[in-house]
Amino acid sequence: EPSASRAAANAARVEDAVAARRAMIRAKPLDVTSRTDGCYEHLDHTADVQFHAWGADLGAALSALGNCFFDYVTERRTIEVDAACAQNFVVTGADLDALVFKVLDELLFRFSADGIVCATVRVDDVTRPRPEDGGATDDGAPDQDAGGWSARVATAGEQFDLAKHPQGTEVKAITYSNMQIHEKPDRTDIFVIVDI
């Protein structure tokens, strides 16, 4: 039966991909000499994984966080760029935690719904709310109607293909659990726990 042989061949490819994935060393950061693009690592966490991304500024750290996500679900080095799969979108959040969450959540949604894996994620034009423009309510909390935080995201990649891209670990959801964002004048670090 043709469908049974296709299923067996696919199962064999999955087994090979899983075996190859187990043999690989994970949590390798990007080239640390490139502070503009930022760096990342995958950290073990009880029943989940924590992404740690850093960069020279918030945009670079968010870019590294997006790249960290795609390097967890597959190997970014196997991803080529297909111009037809390029995506540009704006993400908004009531506060900085919400912005970080929504950047990752949007990447997860587009990967799950559209099957796009990204070789690069670039986050630019991070806009902070300005209280004089109505960015905060009287009690100082961000005003969601005023827009709060926003960022422009640009991705480049291609359709996910199990024959080409190793199958990494499935990310089920992004969480706010123990989310940390540390901004310093010359470096920003972001820690996010994802549900696997």
Coordinates of all heavy atoms in Angstrom, one line a residue, residues 110-193:
R110 N 2.9 32.1 14.2 CA 3.2 32.1 12.8 C 3.9 30.8 12.4 O 3.7 30.3 11.3 CB 4.0 33.3 12.4 CG 3.1 34.6 12.4 CD 4.0 35.9 12.3 NE 3.1 37.0 12.4 CZ 2.7 37.8 11.4 NH1 3.1 37.5 10.2 NH2 1.9 38.8 11.6
F111 N 4.7 30.3 13.3 CA 5.4 29.0 13.1 C 4.3 27.9 13.1 O 4.3 27.0 12.2 CB 6.5 28.7 14.1 CG 7.0 27.3 14.1 CD1 7.8 26.9 13.0 CD2 6.8 26.4 15.1 CE1 8.3 25.6 12.9 CE2 7.3 25.1 15.1 CZ 8.0 24.7 14.0
S112 N 3.4 27.9 14.1 CA 2.4 26.8 14.2 C 1.4 26.9 13.1 O 1.0 25.9 12.5 CB 1.7 26.9 15.5 OG 2.7 26.7 16.6
A113 N 0.9 28.1 12.7 CA -0.2 28.3 11.8 C 0.3 28.3 10.3 O -0.3 27.7 9.5 CB -0.9 29.6 12.0
D114 N 1.5 28.9 10.1 CA 1.9 29.1 8.7 C 3.1 28.1 8.4 O 3.4 28.0 7.2 CB 2.4 30.5 8.4 CG 1.3 31.5 8.7 OD1 0.1 31.2 8.5 OD2 1.6 32.7 9.0
G115 N 3.7 27.5 9.4 CA 4.8 26.6 9.1 C 6.1 27.3 8.7 O 6.9 26.7 8.0
I116 N 6.3 28.5 9.1 CA 7.4 29.3 8.7 C 8.5 29.2 9.8 O 8.2 29.5 10.9 CB 7.1 30.8 8.4 CG1 6.0 30.9 7.4 CG2 8.4 31.5 8.1 CD1 6.4 30.5 6.0
V117 N 9.7 28.7 9.4 CA 10.9 28.8 10.3 C 11.8 29.9 9.9 O 11.9 30.1 8.7 CB 11.6 27.4 10.3 CG1 10.8 26.4 11.0 CG2 12.0 26.9 8.9
C118 N 12.3 30.6 10.8 CA 13.1 31.8 10.5 C 14.6 31.6 10.7 O 15.0 31.2 11.8 CB 12.6 33.0 11.3 SG 10.8 33.3 11.0
A119 N 15.3 32.0 9.7 CA 16.8 32.0 9.8 C 17.2 33.2 10.6 O 18.2 33.2 11.4 CB 17.4 32.0 8.5
T120 N 16.5 34.3 10.5 CA 16.7 35.6 11.2 C 15.4 36.2 11.7 O 14.4 36.2 11.0 CB 17.5 36.6 10.4 OG1 16.7 36.9 9.2 CG2 18.9 36.1 9.9
V121 N 15.5 36.8 12.9 CA 14.4 37.6 13.4 C 15.1 38.9 13.8 O 16.1 38.9 14.5 CB 13.8 36.9 14.7 CG1 12.8 37.9 15.3 CG2 13.2 35.6 14.3
R122 N 14.5 40.0 13.3 CA 15.1 41.3 13.6 C 14.0 42.2 14.2 O 12.9 42.3 13.6 CB 15.6 41.9 12.3 CG 16.3 43.2 12.5 CD 17.7 43.0 12.8 NE 18.4 44.3 13.1 CZ 19.4 44.4 13.9 NH1 19.9 43.3 14.4 NH2 20.0 45.5 14.1
V123 N 14.2 42.7 15.4 CA 13.3 43.6 16.1 C 13.9 45.0 16.1 O 14.9 45.2 16.6 CB 13.0 43.1 17.5 CG1 12.0 44.0 18.2 CG2 12.5 41.6 17.4
D124 N 13.1 45.9 15.5 CA 13.6 47.3 15.4 C 12.5 48.2 15.9 O 11.3 47.8 16.2 CB 13.9 47.7 14.0 CG 15.1 47.0 13.4 OD1 16.1 46.9 14.1 OD2 15.0 46.5 12.3
D125 N 12.8 49.5 16.0 CA 11.8 50.5 16.3 C 11.0 50.2 17.6 O 9.8 50.3 17.6 CB 10.8 50.8 15.1 CG 11.6 51.3 13.9 OD1 12.6 51.9 14.1 OD2 11.0 51.0 12.8
V126 N 11.7 49.8 18.6 CA 11.1 49.6 19.9 C 10.7 50.9 20.5 O 11.5 51.8 20.7 CB 12.0 48.8 20.9 CG1 11.3 48.6 22.2 CG2 12.4 47.5 20.3
T127 N 9.4 51.1 20.7 CA 8.9 52.4 21.1 C 8.4 52.2 22.6 O 7.5 51.4 22.8 CB 7.7 52.9 20.2 OG1 8.2 52.9 18.9 CG2 7.2 54.2 20.6
R128 N 8.9 53.1 23.4 CA 8.4 53.1 24.8 C 7.3 54.1 25.0 O 7.3 55.2 24.3 CB 9.6 53.5 25.7 CG 10.8 52.5 25.6 CD 12.1 53.1 26.2 NE 13.2 52.3 26.0 CZ 13.6 51.3 26.8 NH1 13.0 51.1 28.0 NH2 14.7 50.6 26.5
P129 N 6.4 53.8 25.9 CA 5.3 54.8 26.1 C 5.8 56.1 26.7 O 6.8 56.1 27.5 CB 4.3 54.1 27.0 CG 5.2 53.0 27.7 CD 6.3 52.7 26.8
R130 N 5.2 57.2 26.3 CA 5.6 58.5 26.9 C 4.4 59.0 27.6 O 3.3 59.3 27.1 CB 6.0 59.5 25.8 CG 7.2 59.0 25.1 CD 7.8 60.0 24.0 NE 6.8 60.9 23.6 CZ 6.8 61.5 22.4 NH1 7.7 61.2 21.5 NH2 5.9 62.4 22.0
P131 N 4.5 59.2 29.0 CA 3.4 59.7 29.8 C 2.7 61.0 29.2 O 1.5 61.1 29.3 CB 3.9 59.9 31.2 CG 5.1 58.9 31.2 CD 5.7 58.9 29.8
E132 N 3.6 61.9 28.7 CA 3.0 63.1 28.2 C 2.1 62.9 27.0 O 1.3 63.8 26.6 CB 4.1 64.1 27.9 CG 5.0 63.7 26.7 CD 6.3 62.9 27.2 OE1 6.2 62.4 28.3 OE2 7.2 62.8 26.4
D133 N 2.2 61.7 26.3 CA 1.4 61.4 25.2 C 0.2 60.5 25.6 O -0.5 59.9 24.8 CB 2.1 60.7 24.1 CG 3.2 61.6 23.4 OD1 3.0 62.8 23.5 OD2 4.1 61.1 22.8
G134 N 0.0 60.4 26.9 CA -1.1 59.5 27.4 C -0.7 58.1 27.5 O -1.6 57.2 27.5
G135 N 0.6 57.8 27.6 CA 1.1 56.4 27.7 C 0.9 55.8 29.1 O 1.1 54.6 29.3
A136 N 0.4 56.6 30.0 CA 0.1 56.0 31.4 C -1.2 56.6 31.9 O -1.5 57.8 31.6 CB 1.3 56.3 32.3
T137 N -1.8 55.9 32.8 CA -3.0 56.4 33.4 C -2.6 57.2 34.6 O -1.4 57.3 34.9 CB -3.9 55.2 33.9 OG1 -3.1 54.4 34.8 CG2 -4.3 54.3 32.7
D138 N -3.6 57.8 35.3 CA -3.3 58.6 36.5 C -2.5 57.9 37.6 O -1.7 58.5 38.3 CB -4.6 59.2 37.1 CG -5.3 60.2 36.1 OD1 -4.6 60.7 35.3 OD2 -6.5 60.4 36.3
D139 N -2.7 56.6 37.7 CA -2.0 55.8 38.7 C -0.6 55.3 38.2 O 0.0 54.6 38.9 CB -2.8 54.7 39.3 CG -3.1 53.6 38.2 OD1 -2.8 53.9 37.0 OD2 -3.7 52.6 38.5
G140 N -0.2 55.7 37.0 CA 1.1 55.4 36.5 C 1.1 54.1 35.7 O 2.1 53.7 35.1
A141 N 0.0 53.4 35.7 CA 0.0 52.1 34.9 C -0.1 52.4 33.4 O -0.7 53.5 33.0 CB -1.3 51.3 35.3
P142 N 0.4 51.6 32.6 CA 0.3 51.8 31.1 C -1.1 51.9 30.7 O -2.0 51.1 31.2 CB 1.0 50.6 30.5 CG 1.9 50.0 31.6 CD 1.2 50.4 32.9
D143 N -1.4 52.8 29.8 CA -2.8 52.9 29.2 C -2.8 52.1 27.9 O -2.2 52.5 26.9 CB -3.0 54.4 29.0 CG -4.4 54.7 28.4 OD1 -5.2 53.7 28.2 OD2 -4.8 55.9 28.2
Q144 N -3.6 51.0 27.9 CA -3.6 50.2 26.8 C -4.2 50.9 25.6 O -3.9 50.6 24.4 CB -4.4 48.9 27.1 CG -3.7 48.0 28.0 CD -4.4 46.6 28.1 OE1 -5.3 46.4 27.5 NE2 -3.8 45.8 29.0
D145 N -5.1 51.8 25.8 CA -5.7 52.6 24.7 C -4.7 53.5 24.0 O -4.8 53.9 22.9 CB -6.9 53.4 25.2 CG -8.1 52.5 25.6 OD1 -8.1 51.3 25.1 OD2 -8.9 52.9 26.4
A146 N -3.7 53.9 24.8 CA -2.7 54.8 24.2 C -1.6 54.1 23.5 O -0.7 54.7 22.9 CB -2.0 55.6 25.4
G147 N -1.6 52.8 23.5 CA -0.7 52.0 22.7 C 0.4 51.3 23.5 O 1.0 50.3 23.1
G148 N 0.9 51.9 24.6 CA 1.9 51.3 25.4 C 3.2 51.1 24.6 O 3.7 52.0 23.9
W149 N 3.8 49.9 24.7 CA 5.0 49.6 24.0 C 4.7 49.0 22.6 O 3.7 48.4 22.4 CB 5.7 48.5 24.8 CG 6.3 49.0 26.1 CD1 5.6 49.2 27.2 CD2 7.6 49.3 26.4 NE1 6.4 49.7 28.2 CE2 7.7 49.7 27.7 CE3 8.8 49.2 25.6 CZ2 8.9 50.0 28.3 CZ3 10.0 49.5 26.2 CH2 10.1 49.9 27.6
S150 N 5.6 49.2 21.7 CA 5.5 48.6 20.4 C 6.9 48.3 19.8 O 7.9 48.9 20.2 CB 4.7 49.5 19.4 OG 5.4 50.6 19.1
A151 N 6.9 47.4 18.8 CA 8.1 47.0 18.1 C 7.8 46.5 16.8 O 6.7 45.9 16.5 CB 8.9 46.0 18.9
R152 N 8.7 46.7 15.8 CA 8.5 46.2 14.5 C 9.4 45.0 14.3 O 10.6 45.0 14.7 CB 8.9 47.3 13.5 CG 8.7 46.9 12.0 CD 9.0 48.0 11.0 NE 10.2 48.8 11.3 CZ 11.4 48.5 10.8 NH1 11.5 47.4 10.0 NH2 12.4 49.2 11.1
V153 N 8.8 43.9 13.8 CA 9.5 42.6 13.7 C 9.6 42.3 12.2 O 8.6 42.3 11.5 CB 8.8 41.5 14.5 CG1 9.5 40.2 14.3 CG2 8.6 41.9 15.9
A154 N 10.8 41.9 11.8 CA 11.0 41.4 10.4 C 11.7 40.1 10.5 O 12.7 39.9 11.2 CB 11.9 42.4 9.6
T155 N 11.1 39.1 9.7 CA 11.7 37.7 9.7 C 12.0 37.3 8.3 O 11.4 37.8 7.4 CB 10.7 36.7 10.3 OG1 9.5 36.6 9.5 CG2 10.3 37.1 11.8
A156 N 13.0 36.4 8.2 CA 13.4 35.8 7.0 C 13.6 34.4 7.2 O 14.3 33.9 8.1 CB 14.7 36.5 6.4
G157 N 13.0 33.5 6.3 CA 13.1 32.1 6.5 C 12.4 31.4 5.4 O 12.3 31.9 4.2
E158 N 11.9 30.2 5.7 CA 11.3 29.3 4.7 C 10.2 28.4 5.3 O 10.1 28.4 6.6 CB 12.3 28.5 3.9 CG 13.1 27.5 4.8 CD 14.1 26.8 4.0 OE1 14.1 26.7 2.8 OE2 15.0 26.2 4.7
Q159 N 9.5 27.7 4.5 CA 8.6 26.7 5.0 C 9.3 25.6 5.8 O 10.4 25.1 5.3 CB 7.8 26.1 3.9 CG 6.7 26.9 3.3 CD 5.6 27.2 4.3 OE1 5.1 28.3 4.4 NE2 5.1 26.2 5.0
F160 N 8.8 25.1 6.9 CA 9.4 24.0 7.6 C 9.2 22.8 6.8 O 8.1 22.5 6.3 CB 8.7 23.9 9.0 CG 9.3 22.8 9.8 CD1 10.5 22.9 10.4 CD2 8.6 21.6 10.0 CE1 11.1 21.9 11.2 CE2 9.1 20.6 10.8 CZ 10.4 20.7 11.4
D161 N 10.3 22.0 6.7 CA 10.3 20.7 6.0 C 11.1 19.7 6.8 O 12.3 19.9 7.0 CB 11.0 20.9 4.6 CG 11.0 19.7 3.8 OD1 10.6 18.6 4.2 OD2 11.6 19.8 2.6
L162 N 10.4 18.7 7.3 CA 11.0 17.7 8.2 C 12.2 17.0 7.5 O 13.1 16.6 8.1 CB 10.0 16.7 8.6 CG 10.4 15.7 9.7 CD1 10.9 16.5 10.9 CD2 9.3 14.8 10.1
A163 N 12.1 16.9 6.2 CA 13.2 16.2 5.4 C 14.5 17.1 5.4 O 15.6 16.6 5.3 CB 12.8 15.9 4.0
K164 N 14.3 18.4 5.7 CA 15.5 19.3 5.6 C 15.8 19.9 7.0 O 17.0 20.0 7.3 CB 15.1 20.5 4.7 CG 16.2 21.5 4.6 CD 15.8 22.6 3.6 CE 16.9 23.7 3.5 NZ 16.5 24.8 2.7
H165 N 14.8 20.2 7.8 CA 15.0 20.8 9.1 C 14.9 19.8 10.2 O 13.8 19.2 10.4 CB 14.0 21.9 9.3 CG 14.0 22.9 8.2 ND1 13.0 23.0 7.3 CD2 15.0 23.8 7.8 CE1 13.2 24.0 6.5 NE2 14.4 24.5 6.7
P166 N 15.9 19.6 11.1 CA 15.8 18.7 12.2 C 14.7 19.1 13.1 O 14.5 20.3 13.3 CB 17.1 18.8 12.9 CG 18.1 19.4 11.9 CD 17.2 20.2 11.0
Q167 N 13.9 18.2 13.6 CA 12.8 18.5 14.5 C 13.3 18.7 15.9 O 13.9 17.8 16.5 CB 11.8 17.3 14.5 CG 10.6 17.6 15.3 CD 9.5 16.5 15.2 OE1 9.8 15.5 14.6 NE2 8.4 16.7 15.8
G168 N 13.2 19.9 16.4 CA 13.6 20.2 17.8 C 12.5 19.9 18.7 O 11.7 19.0 18.5
T169 N 12.5 20.6 19.8 CA 11.5 20.4 20.8 C 10.3 21.3 20.6 O 10.5 22.5 20.3 CB 12.0 20.7 22.2 OG1 13.2 19.9 22.4 CG2 11.0 20.4 23.3
E170 N 9.1 20.8 20.7 CA 7.9 21.6 20.4 C 7.7 22.6 21.6 O 7.8 22.2 22.8 CB 6.7 20.7 20.4 CG 5.4 21.4 20.2 CD 4.1 20.6 20.3 OE1 4.2 19.4 20.6 OE2 3.0 21.1 20.0
V171 N 7.5 23.8 21.2 CA 7.1 24.8 22.2 C 5.6 24.9 22.2 O 5.0 25.3 21.2 CB 7.8 26.2 21.9 CG1 7.3 27.3 22.9 CG2 9.3 26.1 22.0
K172 N 5.0 24.6 23.4 CA 3.5 24.7 23.5 C 3.0 26.1 23.7 O 2.0 26.5 23.2 CB 3.0 23.7 24.6 CG 3.3 22.3 24.3 CD 2.9 21.5 25.5 CE 3.4 20.0 25.4 NZ 3.0 19.3 26.6
A173 N 3.7 26.8 24.6 CA 3.2 28.2 24.9 C 4.4 29.0 25.5 O 5.3 28.5 26.1 CB 2.1 28.0 25.9
I174 N 4.2 30.3 25.4 CA 5.1 31.3 26.0 C 4.5 31.6 27.4 O 3.3 31.6 27.5 CB 5.2 32.5 25.2 CG1 5.5 32.2 23.7 CG2 6.2 33.5 25.8 CD1 6.7 31.4 23.4
T175 N 5.3 31.8 28.4 CA 4.8 32.1 29.7 C 5.3 33.4 30.3 O 6.4 33.9 29.8 CB 5.1 31.0 30.7 OG1 6.4 31.1 31.1 CG2 4.8 29.6 30.2
Y176 N 4.6 34.0 31.2 CA 5.1 35.1 32.0 C 5.9 34.6 33.2 O 6.5 35.4 33.9 CB 3.9 36.0 32.5 CG 3.3 36.9 31.4 CD1 2.2 36.5 30.7 CD2 3.9 38.1 31.2 CE1 1.6 37.4 29.8 CE2 3.4 39.0 30.2 CZ 2.2 38.6 29.5 OH 1.7 39.4 28.6
S177 N 5.9 33.3 33.5 CA 6.5 32.8 34.7 C 8.0 33.2 34.8 O 8.8 32.9 33.9 CB 6.4 31.3 34.7 OG 7.0 30.7 35.8
N178 N 8.3 33.9 35.9 CA 9.7 34.3 36.2 C 10.3 35.0 35.0 O 11.5 35.0 34.8 CB 10.5 33.1 36.6 CG 11.7 33.5 37.4 OD1 11.8 34.5 38.0 ND2 12.8 32.6 37.3
M179 N 9.5 35.7 34.2 CA 10.1 36.6 33.1 C 10.9 37.7 33.8 O 10.5 38.3 34.7 CB 9.0 37.2 32.3 CG 9.5 38.0 31.1 SD 8.2 38.7 30.1 CE 7.5 37.3 29.4
Q180 N 12.1 37.9 33.2 CA 13.0 38.9 33.7 C 13.6 39.7 32.5 O 14.0 39.1 31.5 CB 14.2 38.3 34.5 CG 13.8 37.5 35.7 CD 15.0 36.8 36.3 OE1 16.0 37.4 36.5 NE2 14.8 35.5 36.6
I181 N 13.6 41.0 32.7 CA 14.2 41.9 31.7 C 15.1 42.8 32.5 O 14.7 43.6 33.3 CB 13.1 42.7 30.9 CG1 12.2 41.7 30.3 CG2 13.8 43.6 29.9 CD1 10.8 42.2 30.1
H182 N 16.4 42.8 32.1 CA 17.4 43.6 32.8 C 18.1 44.5 31.8 O 18.8 44.1 30.9 CB 18.5 42.7 33.5 CG 17.9 41.7 34.5 ND1 17.5 42.1 35.7 CD2 17.7 40.4 34.4 CE1 17.0 41.0 36.3 NE2 17.2 40.0 35.5
E183 N 17.7 45.8 31.9 CA 18.3 46.8 31.0 C 19.4 47.6 31.6 O 19.2 48.1 32.7 CB 17.2 47.8 30.5 CG 16.3 47.1 29.5 CD 15.3 48.2 28.9 OE1 14.3 48.5 29.5 OE2 15.7 48.7 27.8
K184 N 20.6 47.6 31.0 CA 21.7 48.4 31.5 C 22.1 49.3 30.3 O 21.7 49.0 29.1 CB 22.9 47.5 31.9 CG 22.6 46.6 33.1 CD 23.7 45.7 33.4 CE 23.3 44.8 34.5 NZ 24.3 43.7 34.7
P185 N 22.9 50.3 30.5 CA 23.3 51.2 29.4 C 23.9 50.5 28.2 O 23.7 50.9 27.0 CB 24.2 52.2 30.0 CG 23.9 52.2 31.4 CD 23.4 50.8 31.8
D186 N 24.7 49.4 28.4 CA 25.4 48.8 27.3 C 24.9 47.4 27.0 O 25.5 46.7 26.2 CB 26.9 48.8 27.6 CG 27.2 48.0 28.8 OD1 26.4 47.8 29.7 OD2 28.4 47.6 29.0
R187 N 23.9 46.9 27.8 CA 23.5 45.5 27.6 C 22.1 45.3 28.1 O 21.7 45.8 29.2 CB 24.5 44.5 28.2 CG 24.1 43.1 28.1 CD 25.1 42.2 28.7 NE 24.6 40.8 29.0 CZ 25.3 39.7 28.8 NH1 26.5 39.8 28.4 NH2 24.7 38.6 29.1
T188 N 21.3 44.5 27.4 CA 20.0 44.1 27.9 C 19.9 42.6 27.9 O 20.3 41.9 26.9 CB 18.8 44.7 27.0 OG1 18.9 46.1 27.0 CG2 17.5 44.2 27.5
D189 N 19.4 42.0 29.0 CA 19.3 40.6 29.2 C 17.8 40.3 29.4 O 17.1 41.0 30.1 CB 20.0 40.0 30.4 CG 21.5 40.0 30.2 OD1 22.2 41.0 30.3 OD2 22.0 38.9 29.9
I190 N 17.3 39.2 28.7 CA 15.9 38.8 28.8 C 15.9 37.3 29.1 O 16.6 36.5 28.5 CB 15.1 39.1 27.5 CG1 15.2 40.5 27.1 CG2 13.7 38.6 27.6 CD1 14.6 40.8 25.7
F191 N 15.1 36.9 30.1 CA 14.9 35.5 30.5 C 13.4 35.2 30.3 O 12.5 35.9 30.9 CB 15.3 35.3 31.9 CG 16.7 35.5 32.2 CD1 17.2 36.7 32.5 CD2 17.6 34.4 32.2 CE1 18.6 36.9 32.8 CE2 19.0 34.6 32.5 CZ 19.4 35.8 32.7
V192 N 13.0 34.2 29.6 CA 11.6 33.8 29.4 C 11.5 32.3 29.5 O 12.3 31.5 28.8 CB 11.1 34.2 28.0 CG1 9.7 33.8 27.8 CG2 11.2 35.7 27.8
I193 N 10.6 31.8 30.3 CA 10.3 30.3 30.4 C 9.2 30.0 29.4 O 8.2 30.7 29.3 CB 9.9 30.0 31.8 CG1 11.1 30.2 32.8 CG2 9.5 28.5 31.9 CD1 10.8 30.0 34.2

